[in-house]
Short mmCIF file of all heavy atoms in Angstrom, two decimals:
data_model
loop_
_atom_site.label_atom_id
_atom_site.label_comp_id
_atom_site.label_asym_id
_atom_site.label_seq_id
_atom_site.Cartn_x
_atom_site.Cartn_y
_atom_site.Cartn_z
N PHE A 700 0.84 -1.16 0.00
CA PHE A 700 0.00 0.00 0.00
C PHE A 700 0.89 1.23 0.00
O PHE A 700 1.92 1.25 0.66
CB PHE A 700 -0.88 0.02 1.25
CG PHE A 700 -1.91 -1.06 1.29
CD1 PHE A 700 -1.62 -2.30 1.83
CD2 PHE A 700 -3.17 -0.83 0.77
CE1 PHE A 700 -2.57 -3.29 1.86
CE2 PHE A 700 -4.14 -1.83 0.80
CZ PHE A 700 -3.83 -3.06 1.35
N ALA A 701 0.45 2.26 -0.72
CA ALA A 701 1.16 3.53 -0.74
C ALA A 701 0.18 4.65 -0.44
O ALA A 701 -0.85 4.78 -1.10
CB ALA A 701 1.81 3.76 -2.09
N ASN A 702 0.50 5.41 0.57
CA ASN A 702 -0.29 6.60 0.90
C ASN A 702 0.35 7.75 0.14
O ASN A 702 1.46 8.18 0.46
CB ASN A 702 -0.26 6.86 2.41
CG ASN A 702 -0.98 8.13 2.79
OD1 ASN A 702 -1.47 8.87 1.95
ND2 ASN A 702 -1.02 8.40 4.08
N THR A 703 -0.32 8.23 -0.87
CA THR A 703 0.25 9.27 -1.74
C THR A 703 -0.17 10.67 -1.32
O THR A 703 -0.10 11.60 -2.10
CB THR A 703 -0.16 9.01 -3.20
OG1 THR A 703 -1.59 9.01 -3.29
CG2 THR A 703 0.37 7.67 -3.69
N THR A 704 -0.62 10.81 -0.08
CA THR A 704 -1.06 12.11 0.42
C THR A 704 -0.16 12.57 1.57
O THR A 704 0.64 11.80 2.10
CB THR A 704 -2.52 12.05 0.93
OG1 THR A 704 -2.55 11.36 2.20
CG2 THR A 704 -3.42 11.36 -0.06
N GLY A 705 -0.35 13.79 1.99
CA GLY A 705 0.38 14.34 3.12
C GLY A 705 -0.33 14.14 4.44
O GLY A 705 0.06 14.73 5.44
N SER A 706 -1.37 13.30 4.46
CA SER A 706 -2.13 13.03 5.68
C SER A 706 -2.16 11.53 5.96
O SER A 706 -2.06 10.71 5.03
CB SER A 706 -3.57 13.52 5.55
OG SER A 706 -3.61 14.90 5.30
N ARG A 707 -2.32 11.16 7.22
CA ARG A 707 -2.43 9.76 7.60
C ARG A 707 -3.67 9.14 6.97
O ARG A 707 -4.73 9.78 6.89
CB ARG A 707 -2.52 9.66 9.12
CG ARG A 707 -2.46 8.24 9.64
CD ARG A 707 -2.68 8.24 11.13
NE ARG A 707 -4.02 7.69 11.32
CZ ARG A 707 -4.45 7.17 12.43
NH1 ARG A 707 -3.71 7.20 13.51
NH2 ARG A 707 -5.65 6.66 12.52
N ARG A 708 -3.57 7.89 6.52
CA ARG A 708 -4.70 7.16 5.96
C ARG A 708 -4.82 5.82 6.67
O ARG A 708 -3.84 5.28 7.19
CB ARG A 708 -4.51 6.90 4.45
CG ARG A 708 -4.50 8.17 3.62
CD ARG A 708 -5.89 8.79 3.59
NE ARG A 708 -5.92 10.00 2.79
CZ ARG A 708 -6.09 11.21 3.29
NH1 ARG A 708 -6.22 11.39 4.58
NH2 ARG A 708 -6.13 12.26 2.49
N THR A 709 -6.04 5.29 6.71
CA THR A 709 -6.32 4.01 7.34
C THR A 709 -6.87 3.06 6.29
O THR A 709 -7.72 3.44 5.48
CB THR A 709 -7.35 4.18 8.48
OG1 THR A 709 -6.83 5.13 9.41
CG2 THR A 709 -7.62 2.88 9.20
N ILE A 710 -6.37 1.79 6.31
CA ILE A 710 -6.80 0.83 5.30
C ILE A 710 -7.34 -0.45 5.94
O ILE A 710 -7.06 -0.75 7.10
CB ILE A 710 -5.64 0.47 4.33
CG1 ILE A 710 -4.43 -0.12 5.07
CG2 ILE A 710 -5.22 1.67 3.54
CD1 ILE A 710 -4.33 -1.60 4.94
N ARG A 711 -8.10 -1.17 5.12
CA ARG A 711 -8.55 -2.53 5.45
C ARG A 711 -8.31 -3.41 4.23
O ARG A 711 -8.46 -2.95 3.10
CB ARG A 711 -10.04 -2.56 5.79
CG ARG A 711 -10.39 -1.82 7.05
CD ARG A 711 -11.88 -1.88 7.32
NE ARG A 711 -12.20 -1.14 8.54
CZ ARG A 711 -13.41 -1.00 9.03
NH1 ARG A 711 -14.45 -1.54 8.40
NH2 ARG A 711 -13.60 -0.33 10.15
N LEU A 712 -7.96 -4.65 4.47
CA LEU A 712 -7.80 -5.62 3.39
C LEU A 712 -8.40 -6.94 3.87
O LEU A 712 -8.10 -7.40 4.98
CB LEU A 712 -6.33 -5.81 3.01
CG LEU A 712 -6.07 -6.80 1.88
CD1 LEU A 712 -6.63 -6.28 0.55
CD2 LEU A 712 -4.58 -7.10 1.76
N HIS A 713 -9.25 -7.52 3.03
CA HIS A 713 -9.93 -8.77 3.37
C HIS A 713 -9.67 -9.84 2.31
O HIS A 713 -9.62 -9.54 1.12
CB HIS A 713 -11.45 -8.54 3.44
CG HIS A 713 -11.85 -7.55 4.47
ND1 HIS A 713 -12.24 -7.90 5.73
CD2 HIS A 713 -11.91 -6.20 4.43
CE1 HIS A 713 -12.54 -6.81 6.43
NE2 HIS A 713 -12.34 -5.76 5.65
N HIS A 714 -9.52 -11.09 2.76
CA HIS A 714 -9.50 -12.26 1.88
C HIS A 714 -10.89 -12.88 2.04
O HIS A 714 -11.18 -13.53 3.03
CB HIS A 714 -8.41 -13.23 2.34
CG HIS A 714 -8.41 -14.52 1.58
ND1 HIS A 714 -7.57 -15.54 1.89
CD2 HIS A 714 -9.13 -14.96 0.52
CE1 HIS A 714 -7.77 -16.55 1.08
NE2 HIS A 714 -8.72 -16.22 0.24
N VAL A 715 -11.73 -12.65 1.03
CA VAL A 715 -13.15 -12.99 1.13
C VAL A 715 -13.44 -14.26 0.33
O VAL A 715 -13.32 -14.26 -0.90
CB VAL A 715 -14.03 -11.83 0.62
CG1 VAL A 715 -15.50 -12.16 0.80
CG2 VAL A 715 -13.68 -10.54 1.36
N PRO A 716 -13.84 -15.34 1.01
CA PRO A 716 -14.21 -16.55 0.29
C PRO A 716 -15.44 -16.32 -0.59
O PRO A 716 -16.27 -15.46 -0.30
CB PRO A 716 -14.52 -17.55 1.41
CG PRO A 716 -13.77 -17.04 2.60
CD PRO A 716 -13.83 -15.54 2.46
N GLN A 717 -15.53 -17.12 -1.64
CA GLN A 717 -16.63 -17.00 -2.60
C GLN A 717 -17.98 -16.98 -1.87
O GLN A 717 -18.25 -17.79 -0.98
CB GLN A 717 -16.60 -18.17 -3.58
CG GLN A 717 -17.68 -18.09 -4.64
CD GLN A 717 -17.57 -19.22 -5.66
OE1 GLN A 717 -16.91 -20.21 -5.43
NE2 GLN A 717 -18.22 -19.04 -6.78
N GLY A 718 -18.81 -16.01 -2.24
CA GLY A 718 -20.16 -15.92 -1.71
C GLY A 718 -20.27 -15.28 -0.34
O GLY A 718 -21.36 -15.19 0.20
N GLN A 719 -19.16 -14.84 0.24
CA GLN A 719 -19.20 -14.22 1.56
C GLN A 719 -18.98 -12.71 1.46
O GLN A 719 -18.68 -12.18 0.39
CB GLN A 719 -18.17 -14.87 2.47
CG GLN A 719 -18.47 -16.32 2.77
CD GLN A 719 -17.55 -16.90 3.82
OE1 GLN A 719 -16.96 -16.18 4.62
NE2 GLN A 719 -17.42 -18.22 3.82
N SER A 720 -19.13 -12.05 2.59
CA SER A 720 -18.94 -10.60 2.67
C SER A 720 -17.67 -10.28 3.44
O SER A 720 -17.18 -11.09 4.22
CB SER A 720 -20.13 -9.96 3.39
OG SER A 720 -21.32 -10.21 2.70
N SER A 721 -17.16 -9.08 3.24
CA SER A 721 -16.02 -8.60 4.02
C SER A 721 -16.45 -8.44 5.47
O SER A 721 -17.52 -7.92 5.76
CB SER A 721 -15.54 -7.24 3.50
OG SER A 721 -15.20 -7.31 2.15
N GLY A 722 -15.60 -8.90 6.39
CA GLY A 722 -15.91 -8.77 7.81
C GLY A 722 -14.66 -8.97 8.64
O GLY A 722 -13.59 -9.30 8.13
N THR A 723 -14.79 -8.81 9.93
CA THR A 723 -13.64 -8.96 10.82
C THR A 723 -13.08 -10.37 10.80
O THR A 723 -11.89 -10.58 11.05
CB THR A 723 -13.99 -8.56 12.26
OG1 THR A 723 -15.11 -9.35 12.70
CG2 THR A 723 -14.34 -7.08 12.36
N ASP A 724 -13.91 -11.36 10.46
CA ASP A 724 -13.45 -12.75 10.46
C ASP A 724 -12.54 -13.08 9.27
O ASP A 724 -11.84 -14.08 9.30
CB ASP A 724 -14.64 -13.71 10.48
CG ASP A 724 -15.58 -13.52 9.30
OD1 ASP A 724 -15.70 -12.39 8.80
OD2 ASP A 724 -16.21 -14.51 8.89
N ASN A 725 -12.53 -12.25 8.22
CA ASN A 725 -11.66 -12.52 7.08
C ASN A 725 -10.71 -11.34 6.79
O ASN A 725 -10.16 -11.23 5.70
CB ASN A 725 -12.46 -12.91 5.83
CG ASN A 725 -13.51 -11.89 5.45
OD1 ASN A 725 -13.33 -10.70 5.65
ND2 ASN A 725 -14.61 -12.37 4.91
N ALA A 726 -10.51 -10.49 7.78
CA ALA A 726 -9.63 -9.33 7.62
C ALA A 726 -8.16 -9.75 7.69
O ALA A 726 -7.77 -10.51 8.58
CB ALA A 726 -9.92 -8.29 8.69
N LEU A 727 -7.37 -9.27 6.75
CA LEU A 727 -5.92 -9.43 6.80
C LEU A 727 -5.30 -8.20 7.47
O LEU A 727 -4.35 -8.31 8.23
CB LEU A 727 -5.36 -9.60 5.39
CG LEU A 727 -5.90 -10.80 4.61
CD1 LEU A 727 -5.43 -10.76 3.16
CD2 LEU A 727 -5.49 -12.10 5.27
N PHE A 728 -5.82 -7.02 7.14
CA PHE A 728 -5.47 -5.75 7.79
C PHE A 728 -6.77 -5.07 8.15
O PHE A 728 -7.68 -5.00 7.32
CB PHE A 728 -4.67 -4.83 6.85
CG PHE A 728 -3.34 -5.38 6.44
CD1 PHE A 728 -3.14 -5.85 5.16
CD2 PHE A 728 -2.28 -5.43 7.33
CE1 PHE A 728 -1.92 -6.35 4.75
CE2 PHE A 728 -1.06 -5.93 6.93
CZ PHE A 728 -0.88 -6.40 5.65
N TYR A 729 -6.87 -4.54 9.35
CA TYR A 729 -8.12 -3.91 9.77
C TYR A 729 -7.80 -2.61 10.49
O TYR A 729 -7.19 -2.61 11.56
CB TYR A 729 -8.91 -4.85 10.69
CG TYR A 729 -10.36 -4.46 10.83
CD1 TYR A 729 -11.29 -4.87 9.90
CD2 TYR A 729 -10.78 -3.67 11.89
CE1 TYR A 729 -12.62 -4.52 10.01
CE2 TYR A 729 -12.10 -3.31 12.01
CZ TYR A 729 -13.02 -3.73 11.08
OH TYR A 729 -14.34 -3.37 11.19
N ASP A 730 -8.18 -1.50 9.88
CA ASP A 730 -7.93 -0.17 10.42
C ASP A 730 -6.45 0.06 10.72
O ASP A 730 -6.07 0.57 11.78
CB ASP A 730 -8.80 0.10 11.66
CG ASP A 730 -10.27 0.22 11.31
OD1 ASP A 730 -10.58 0.39 10.11
OD2 ASP A 730 -11.11 0.15 12.22
N VAL A 731 -5.62 -0.29 9.77
CA VAL A 731 -4.17 -0.10 9.88
C VAL A 731 -3.82 1.28 9.34
O VAL A 731 -4.22 1.64 8.22
CB VAL A 731 -3.41 -1.19 9.11
CG1 VAL A 731 -1.91 -0.91 9.08
CG2 VAL A 731 -3.69 -2.56 9.72
N ALA A 732 -3.09 2.05 10.13
CA ALA A 732 -2.71 3.41 9.72
C ALA A 732 -1.45 3.38 8.86
O ALA A 732 -0.52 2.62 9.12
CB ALA A 732 -2.47 4.27 10.95
N ILE A 733 -1.46 4.22 7.83
CA ILE A 733 -0.28 4.43 6.99
C ILE A 733 0.09 5.90 7.10
O ILE A 733 -0.74 6.78 6.87
CB ILE A 733 -0.56 4.04 5.52
CG1 ILE A 733 -1.01 2.58 5.44
CG2 ILE A 733 0.69 4.26 4.67
CD1 ILE A 733 -1.39 2.14 4.05
N ALA A 734 1.33 6.14 7.43
CA ALA A 734 1.81 7.51 7.64
C ALA A 734 1.71 8.33 6.36
O ALA A 734 1.66 7.78 5.25
CB ALA A 734 3.26 7.46 8.12
N PRO A 735 1.70 9.66 6.49
CA PRO A 735 1.71 10.51 5.31
C PRO A 735 2.87 10.15 4.39
O PRO A 735 4.00 9.96 4.85
CB PRO A 735 1.90 11.92 5.89
CG PRO A 735 1.37 11.83 7.29
CD PRO A 735 1.71 10.44 7.74
N ASN A 736 2.58 10.00 3.10
CA ASN A 736 3.57 9.63 2.10
C ASN A 736 4.31 8.33 2.45
O ASN A 736 5.43 8.12 2.02
CB ASN A 736 4.57 10.76 1.87
CG ASN A 736 3.87 12.00 1.38
OD1 ASN A 736 3.18 11.97 0.37
ND2 ASN A 736 4.01 13.10 2.11
N GLY A 737 3.66 7.47 3.22
CA GLY A 737 4.27 6.23 3.67
C GLY A 737 3.81 5.01 2.88
O GLY A 737 2.91 5.09 2.05
N THR A 738 4.46 3.90 3.16
CA THR A 738 4.11 2.64 2.52
C THR A 738 3.94 1.54 3.56
O THR A 738 4.49 1.62 4.66
CB THR A 738 5.19 2.19 1.52
OG1 THR A 738 6.44 2.07 2.20
CG2 THR A 738 5.33 3.15 0.37
N LEU A 739 3.18 0.54 3.19
CA LEU A 739 3.01 -0.67 3.98
C LEU A 739 3.28 -1.83 3.04
O LEU A 739 2.60 -1.98 2.03
CB LEU A 739 1.59 -0.76 4.55
CG LEU A 739 1.23 -2.09 5.22
CD1 LEU A 739 2.06 -2.30 6.47
CD2 LEU A 739 -0.25 -2.11 5.55
N ILE A 740 4.32 -2.61 3.36
CA ILE A 740 4.69 -3.75 2.52
C ILE A 740 4.54 -5.01 3.36
O ILE A 740 5.05 -5.09 4.48
CB ILE A 740 6.14 -3.62 2.02
CG1 ILE A 740 6.27 -2.36 1.15
CG2 ILE A 740 6.54 -4.87 1.23
CD1 ILE A 740 7.69 -2.04 0.76
N ASP A 741 3.84 -5.98 2.80
CA ASP A 741 3.65 -7.26 3.48
C ASP A 741 3.95 -8.37 2.47
O ASP A 741 3.46 -8.34 1.35
CB ASP A 741 2.21 -7.39 3.98
CG ASP A 741 2.01 -8.68 4.75
OD1 ASP A 741 2.44 -8.74 5.91
OD2 ASP A 741 1.44 -9.62 4.18
N SER A 742 4.76 -9.34 2.86
CA SER A 742 5.13 -10.41 1.94
C SER A 742 4.51 -11.75 2.34
O SER A 742 5.00 -12.81 1.95
CB SER A 742 6.65 -10.53 1.85
OG SER A 742 7.19 -10.79 3.13
N THR A 743 3.43 -11.70 3.12
CA THR A 743 2.73 -12.92 3.49
C THR A 743 2.21 -13.62 2.24
O THR A 743 1.65 -12.99 1.35
CB THR A 743 1.55 -12.60 4.43
OG1 THR A 743 2.05 -11.92 5.58
CG2 THR A 743 0.82 -13.85 4.84
N ARG A 744 2.38 -14.93 2.19
CA ARG A 744 1.87 -15.70 1.07
C ARG A 744 0.59 -16.40 1.48
O ARG A 744 0.50 -16.96 2.57
CB ARG A 744 2.90 -16.74 0.63
CG ARG A 744 4.15 -16.12 0.10
CD ARG A 744 5.15 -17.18 -0.26
NE ARG A 744 6.38 -16.54 -0.71
CZ ARG A 744 7.31 -17.17 -1.37
NH1 ARG A 744 7.18 -18.44 -1.67
NH2 ARG A 744 8.38 -16.52 -1.74
N PHE A 745 -0.37 -16.35 0.60
CA PHE A 745 -1.62 -17.07 0.84
C PHE A 745 -2.22 -17.44 -0.50
O PHE A 745 -1.86 -16.87 -1.54
CB PHE A 745 -2.60 -16.26 1.69
CG PHE A 745 -2.91 -14.89 1.16
CD1 PHE A 745 -3.98 -14.69 0.31
CD2 PHE A 745 -2.12 -13.81 1.50
CE1 PHE A 745 -4.26 -13.44 -0.19
CE2 PHE A 745 -2.40 -12.55 1.01
CZ PHE A 745 -3.47 -12.36 0.17
N GLN A 746 -3.12 -18.40 -0.47
CA GLN A 746 -3.71 -18.89 -1.71
C GLN A 746 -5.19 -18.56 -1.73
O GLN A 746 -5.92 -18.83 -0.77
CB GLN A 746 -3.52 -20.40 -1.82
CG GLN A 746 -4.00 -20.97 -3.14
CD GLN A 746 -3.61 -22.44 -3.28
OE1 GLN A 746 -2.80 -22.96 -2.53
NE2 GLN A 746 -4.19 -23.09 -4.25
N LEU A 747 -5.62 -17.98 -2.85
CA LEU A 747 -7.04 -17.71 -3.05
C LEU A 747 -7.68 -18.93 -3.67
O LEU A 747 -7.14 -19.51 -4.61
CB LEU A 747 -7.24 -16.52 -3.99
CG LEU A 747 -6.74 -15.16 -3.51
CD1 LEU A 747 -6.96 -14.12 -4.60
CD2 LEU A 747 -7.42 -14.75 -2.24
N GLY A 748 -8.82 -19.33 -3.14
CA GLY A 748 -9.59 -20.41 -3.74
C GLY A 748 -10.39 -19.88 -4.92
O GLY A 748 -10.50 -18.66 -5.13
N LYS A 749 -10.95 -20.80 -5.69
CA LYS A 749 -11.77 -20.40 -6.83
C LYS A 749 -12.91 -19.51 -6.35
O LYS A 749 -13.66 -19.86 -5.44
CB LYS A 749 -12.33 -21.63 -7.53
CG LYS A 749 -13.11 -21.30 -8.77
CD LYS A 749 -13.58 -22.54 -9.50
CE LYS A 749 -14.36 -22.13 -10.75
NZ LYS A 749 -14.81 -23.33 -11.50
N GLY A 750 -13.03 -18.33 -6.95
CA GLY A 750 -14.08 -17.39 -6.59
C GLY A 750 -13.77 -16.49 -5.41
O GLY A 750 -14.53 -15.58 -5.11
N ASP A 751 -12.65 -16.72 -4.72
CA ASP A 751 -12.26 -15.84 -3.61
C ASP A 751 -11.86 -14.48 -4.15
O ASP A 751 -11.49 -14.33 -5.32
CB ASP A 751 -11.07 -16.42 -2.84
CG ASP A 751 -11.41 -17.64 -2.01
OD1 ASP A 751 -12.57 -18.08 -2.03
OD2 ASP A 751 -10.50 -18.16 -1.35
N GLN A 752 -11.91 -13.47 -3.29
CA GLN A 752 -11.54 -12.12 -3.67
C GLN A 752 -10.69 -11.46 -2.61
O GLN A 752 -10.82 -11.77 -1.42
CB GLN A 752 -12.79 -11.25 -3.85
CG GLN A 752 -13.72 -11.68 -4.94
CD GLN A 752 -14.94 -10.78 -5.03
OE1 GLN A 752 -15.26 -10.03 -4.11
NE2 GLN A 752 -15.64 -10.86 -6.15
N LEU A 753 -9.81 -10.57 -3.05
CA LEU A 753 -9.16 -9.64 -2.14
C LEU A 753 -9.93 -8.34 -2.26
O LEU A 753 -10.15 -7.84 -3.36
CB LEU A 753 -7.70 -9.38 -2.55
CG LEU A 753 -6.71 -10.48 -2.25
CD1 LEU A 753 -5.33 -10.10 -2.78
CD2 LEU A 753 -6.63 -10.75 -0.76
N ARG A 754 -10.36 -7.81 -1.13
CA ARG A 754 -11.11 -6.55 -1.13
C ARG A 754 -10.42 -5.56 -0.20
O ARG A 754 -10.15 -5.87 0.95
CB ARG A 754 -12.54 -6.76 -0.64
CG ARG A 754 -13.37 -7.61 -1.55
CD ARG A 754 -14.78 -7.71 -1.05
NE ARG A 754 -15.56 -8.65 -1.85
CZ ARG A 754 -16.73 -9.14 -1.48
NH1 ARG A 754 -17.26 -8.78 -0.32
NH2 ARG A 754 -17.36 -9.99 -2.26
N GLY A 755 -10.13 -4.39 -0.74
CA GLY A 755 -9.47 -3.37 0.04
C GLY A 755 -10.31 -2.11 0.14
O GLY A 755 -11.15 -1.84 -0.72
N LYS A 756 -10.07 -1.37 1.22
CA LYS A 756 -10.81 -0.13 1.44
C LYS A 756 -9.91 0.82 2.22
O LYS A 756 -9.22 0.42 3.15
CB LYS A 756 -12.07 -0.43 2.24
CG LYS A 756 -12.90 0.79 2.57
CD LYS A 756 -14.13 0.40 3.38
CE LYS A 756 -14.95 1.63 3.72
NZ LYS A 756 -16.13 1.29 4.52
N ALA A 757 -9.91 2.08 1.82
CA ALA A 757 -9.21 3.13 2.56
C ALA A 757 -10.24 4.11 3.11
O ALA A 757 -11.35 4.22 2.57
CB ALA A 757 -8.22 3.85 1.66
N ASP A 758 -9.87 4.82 4.17
CA ASP A 758 -10.81 5.76 4.77
C ASP A 758 -11.15 6.92 3.85
O ASP A 758 -12.20 7.54 4.00
CB ASP A 758 -10.31 6.25 6.13
CG ASP A 758 -8.97 6.98 6.05
OD1 ASP A 758 -8.25 6.82 5.05
OD2 ASP A 758 -8.64 7.69 7.01
N THR A 759 -10.28 7.22 2.89
CA THR A 759 -10.52 8.26 1.91
C THR A 759 -9.55 8.06 0.74
O THR A 759 -8.71 7.17 0.79
CB THR A 759 -10.37 9.66 2.54
OG1 THR A 759 -10.84 10.66 1.64
CG2 THR A 759 -8.94 9.95 2.95
N ALA A 760 -9.68 8.85 -0.28
CA ALA A 760 -8.83 8.71 -1.47
C ALA A 760 -7.37 8.98 -1.13
O ALA A 760 -7.07 9.64 -0.14
CB ALA A 760 -9.30 9.67 -2.56
N GLY A 761 -6.47 8.46 -1.97
CA GLY A 761 -5.06 8.75 -1.82
C GLY A 761 -4.22 7.54 -1.45
O GLY A 761 -3.05 7.67 -1.10
N VAL A 762 -4.82 6.33 -1.52
CA VAL A 762 -4.08 5.10 -1.22
C VAL A 762 -4.13 4.20 -2.44
O VAL A 762 -5.19 3.98 -3.01
CB VAL A 762 -4.68 4.37 0.00
CG1 VAL A 762 -3.96 3.05 0.24
CG2 VAL A 762 -4.61 5.24 1.25
N THR A 763 -2.97 3.68 -2.82
CA THR A 763 -2.92 2.69 -3.90
C THR A 763 -2.45 1.36 -3.33
O THR A 763 -1.74 1.31 -2.33
CB THR A 763 -1.97 3.13 -5.03
OG1 THR A 763 -0.66 3.26 -4.50
CG2 THR A 763 -2.41 4.43 -5.66
N CYS A 764 -2.87 0.29 -3.99
CA CYS A 764 -2.50 -1.06 -3.55
C CYS A 764 -2.08 -1.86 -4.77
O CYS A 764 -2.76 -1.84 -5.80
CB CYS A 764 -3.70 -1.72 -2.88
SG CYS A 764 -3.40 -3.43 -2.40
N THR A 765 -0.97 -2.55 -4.65
CA THR A 765 -0.49 -3.41 -5.73
C THR A 765 -0.28 -4.82 -5.17
O THR A 765 0.33 -4.98 -4.12
CB THR A 765 0.85 -2.88 -6.29
OG1 THR A 765 0.68 -1.54 -6.71
CG2 THR A 765 1.33 -3.73 -7.45
N VAL A 766 -0.84 -5.79 -5.89
CA VAL A 766 -0.73 -7.20 -5.48
C VAL A 766 -0.15 -7.98 -6.65
O VAL A 766 -0.58 -7.82 -7.79
CB VAL A 766 -2.11 -7.78 -5.10
CG1 VAL A 766 -2.01 -9.24 -4.75
CG2 VAL A 766 -2.74 -6.99 -3.96
N TYR A 767 0.82 -8.83 -6.35
CA TYR A 767 1.42 -9.69 -7.37
C TYR A 767 1.09 -11.14 -7.02
O TYR A 767 1.01 -11.50 -5.85
CB TYR A 767 2.94 -9.53 -7.40
CG TYR A 767 3.38 -8.16 -7.83
CD1 TYR A 767 3.73 -7.19 -6.89
CD2 TYR A 767 3.43 -7.81 -9.18
CE1 TYR A 767 4.13 -5.93 -7.28
CE2 TYR A 767 3.84 -6.55 -9.57
CZ TYR A 767 4.19 -5.61 -8.61
OH TYR A 767 4.59 -4.37 -9.00
N GLY A 768 0.93 -11.95 -8.03
CA GLY A 768 0.67 -13.37 -7.79
C GLY A 768 0.86 -14.18 -9.05
O GLY A 768 1.17 -13.66 -10.13
N ILE A 769 0.67 -15.47 -8.89
CA ILE A 769 0.74 -16.39 -10.02
C ILE A 769 -0.48 -17.29 -9.99
O ILE A 769 -1.07 -17.53 -8.93
CB ILE A 769 2.03 -17.25 -9.98
CG1 ILE A 769 2.09 -18.08 -8.70
CG2 ILE A 769 3.26 -16.40 -10.14
CD1 ILE A 769 3.19 -19.10 -8.68
N ALA A 770 -0.87 -17.76 -11.15
CA ALA A 770 -1.97 -18.72 -11.25
C ALA A 770 -1.38 -20.12 -11.25
O ALA A 770 -0.42 -20.41 -11.98
CB ALA A 770 -2.76 -18.48 -12.53
N VAL A 771 -1.93 -20.98 -10.40
CA VAL A 771 -1.48 -22.36 -10.31
C VAL A 771 -2.56 -23.25 -10.90
O VAL A 771 -3.71 -23.18 -10.48
CB VAL A 771 -1.18 -22.75 -8.86
CG1 VAL A 771 -0.75 -24.20 -8.77
CG2 VAL A 771 -0.12 -21.83 -8.27
N ALA A 772 -2.19 -24.06 -11.87
CA ALA A 772 -3.17 -24.95 -12.51
C ALA A 772 -3.34 -26.23 -11.74
O ALA A 772 -2.51 -26.66 -11.02
CB ALA A 772 -2.74 -25.24 -13.93
#
């Protein structure tokens, strides 16, 4: 995550199984603060099942998120 603003931002990231909603039970990051012009880097590895989603939310505009992965057949 990159906070591209001069103000603190708060983010959430969820690993949501197919057919479910974002909630505290599937949160990877929950109300985590990112400093002004700061970054948050996490190298945790996890596998998404078929239909699973990563869902992110910031308290306001100015946060970008980049995720890298591979598809396993």
Side-chain angles (χ1 to χ4, degrees):
F700 292 88
N702 176 357
T703 59
T704 74
S706 300
R707 187 185 108 160
R708 295 290 180 250
T709 303
I710 58 103
R711 293 180 181 180
L712 180 67
H713 299 265
H714 174 184
V715 183
Q717 183 177 16
Q719 294 188 22
S720 300
S721 303
T723 56
D724 59 329
N725 55 33
L727 301 172
F728 297 107
Y729 197 85
D730 291 345
V731 174
I733 303 176
N736 300 304
T738 58
L739 171 65
I740 298 172
D741 183 78
S742 59
T743 302
R744 295 178 183 197
F745 55 91
Q746 185 172 347
L747 296 177
K749 184 177 180 178
D751 289 1
Q752 297 179 343
L753 285 177
R754 294 184 186 165
K756 178 181 179 181
D758 60 342
T759 190
V762 176
T763 61
C764 176
T765 304
V766 177
Y767 295 98
I769 60 171
V771 178

